[in-house]
Amino acid sequence: MMSEITSYSKVREYCANYGWAMMHRVFHYRHVFGEPSIKNGWLIYASDRSIVVVGYPLSPLNAQIPCGVADIAIWAMSELKIRPQTIVYWGTHAPKIDFIPGYQLKSAAKRPQFYQNDILSIDADATKILYERRDIRRSFREGYRSIITYGLIEGIGDLANRFISEKKGQLEVDDFWYIDALDKVISDVDSVIIGATTTHLQGAIVLSVAPPFPVYLYGFFPRGSKWASTFLYFNMIKYCVDMGFDRIDLGYSPSDSLRSYKSKWGAVHGLGVPWEIIFEKRL
């Protein structure tokens, strides 16, 4: 018998407690891939369009129950009465590539290693210590004003689009989800937007403050917004300290430069080696 969690709040709590899942993904994957559930320690998103199986797995205990990607996919299709176009597996464990009736294997690849959640531990003296850094003091001299607001903020959609368009050939699949899920995520979760503004919005961080700890969801820092990321990271940490939190989930880092940047703030990385397997429905 498979163990199952289907409540969204319980899924979020489960992921946070085990800390193996990328918490910022849980929020916006929901709006791109469908409602999440947990089955045998595997995180599943299902909709008419796709089934996405995320196999870290979350719980070492549940992971001991033998279950391949095909088992999970077949269960989801039967339980939800759906036949999606695509079935995808992402995870750190090499999965069993079993036959799925009515589907054909499109690709199976082991990606280069990446880092899972970057967790930043903070304390009451964090902002006082950080402000001694030269780059932070310099960011304040750029004339930014910090704004903190709940819900959508004027100009953030344009800011996000400008930031994504500037990346050109460096786009990742996540970048398209930013725009696709932004409005829905902000209206759905307990989130704050921390903005850097002059005459207009120059940069912004979207931070979930749903228990048990804040999660960095999105960051937008277009070119020309000099030192905006430093200014906003500092104000994000200050906000979390003021609210009494002792850690922040900064999401994952797909590049060495981003890992290096987060490390300067004190973030600790978790290593993972992901696999990606894609099945497509036969015509």
Side-chain angles (χ1 to χ4, degrees):
M1 196 65 184
M2 295 183 181
S3 58
E4 181 183 0
I5 299 174
T6 56
S7 160
Y8 174 51
S9 60
K10 290 292 185 183
V11 168
R12 193 173 65 189
E13 179 183 352
Y14 189 97
C15 294
N17 287 339
Y18 283 103
W20 289 16
M22 300 176 188
M23 278 298 293
H24 69 310
R25 292 288 191 272
V26 176
F27 292 101
H28 68 232
Y29 275 17
R30 179 190 187 195
H31 293 291
V32 179
F33 295 127
E35 289 298 315
S37 59
I38 290 176
K39 196 84 167 164
N40 283 19
W42 304 78
L43 188 57
I44 308 158
Y45 297 88
S47 70
D48 292 337
R49 186 172 57 179
S50 64
I51 291 175
V52 178
V53 180
V54 184
Y56 290 108
L58 302 179
S59 164
L61 177 62
N62 286 339
Q64 293 174 7
I65 304 172
C67 192
V69 177
D71 299 322
I72 290 290
I74 291 169
W75 168 84
M77 287 189 285
S78 172
E79 189 78 8
L80 302 173
K81 296 179 174 57
I82 57 175
R83 294 285 293 175
Q85 179 63 36
T86 308
I87 297 172
V88 180
Y89 166 83
W90 288 321
T92 58
H93 290 197
K96 295 189 295 180
I97 305 178
D98 296 325
F99 174 71
I100 302 178
Y103 287 80
Q104 58 190 6
L105 181 66
K106 180 181 179 182
S107 64
K110 185 177 182 181
R111 294 178 174 180
Q113 70 178 25
F114 78 129
Y115 286 80
Q116 292 185 32
N117 285 35
D118 304 307
I119 301 297
L120 173 61
S121 297
I122 53 178
D123 58 38
D125 293 325
T127 51
K128 186 188 302 180
I129 295 169
L130 285 171
Y131 194 70
E132 296 303 313
R133 283 175 34 179
R134 184 180 302 174
D135 60 335
I136 292 174
R137 295 200 304 271
R138 183 170 179 178
S139 76
F140 275 77
R141 292 199 293 270
E142 292 297 316
Y144 296 125
R145 289 179 291 110
S146 173
I147 55 173
I148 298 176
T149 183
Y150 292 84
L152 288 170
I153 183 174
E154 184 178 356
I156 192 167
D158 292 340
L159 184 80
N161 275 294
R162 183 155 56 98
F163 178 67
I164 299 304
S165 66
E166 288 174 355
K167 298 181 75 171
K168 295 181 180 177
Q170 300 175 356
L171 286 174
E172 302 164 32
V173 67
D174 293 39
D175 295 324
F176 300 104
W177 297 335
Y178 281 165
I179 305 303
D180 191 25
L182 181 61
D183 291 357
K184 297 175 185 175
V185 170
I186 292 174
S187 61
D188 180 57
V189 303
D190 297 327
S191 60
V192 299
I193 297 176
I194 303 170
T197 183
T198 51
T199 56
H200 60 281
L201 193 63
Q202 298 278 1
I205 286 174
V206 182
L207 187 72
S208 162
V209 289
F213 50 80
V215 179
Y216 180 108
L217 297 178
Y218 311 105
F220 306 113
F221 315 107
R223 294 190 188 120
S225 303
K226 193 174 181 183
W227 296 102
S229 60
T230 301
F231 179 84
L232 286 168
Y233 261 74
F234 175 82
N235 279 283
M236 173 184 67
I237 293 170
K238 182 178 185 303
Y239 170 83
C240 291
V241 169
D242 292 344
M243 295 297 291
F245 294 110
D246 61 2
R247 64 170 171 160
I248 310 170
D249 180 342
L250 293 180
Y252 90 118
S253 302
S255 66
D256 291 338
S257 60
L258 192 52
R259 282 193 292 276
S260 175
Y261 182 78
K262 291 180 182 179
S263 294
K264 290 178 181 177
W265 295 93
V268 176
H269 313 290
L271 183 64
V273 182
W275 290 74
E276 178 182 79
I277 295 174
I278 301 174
F279 292 88
E280 282 194 344
K281 188 162 58 175
R282 287 196 179 96
L283 297 176

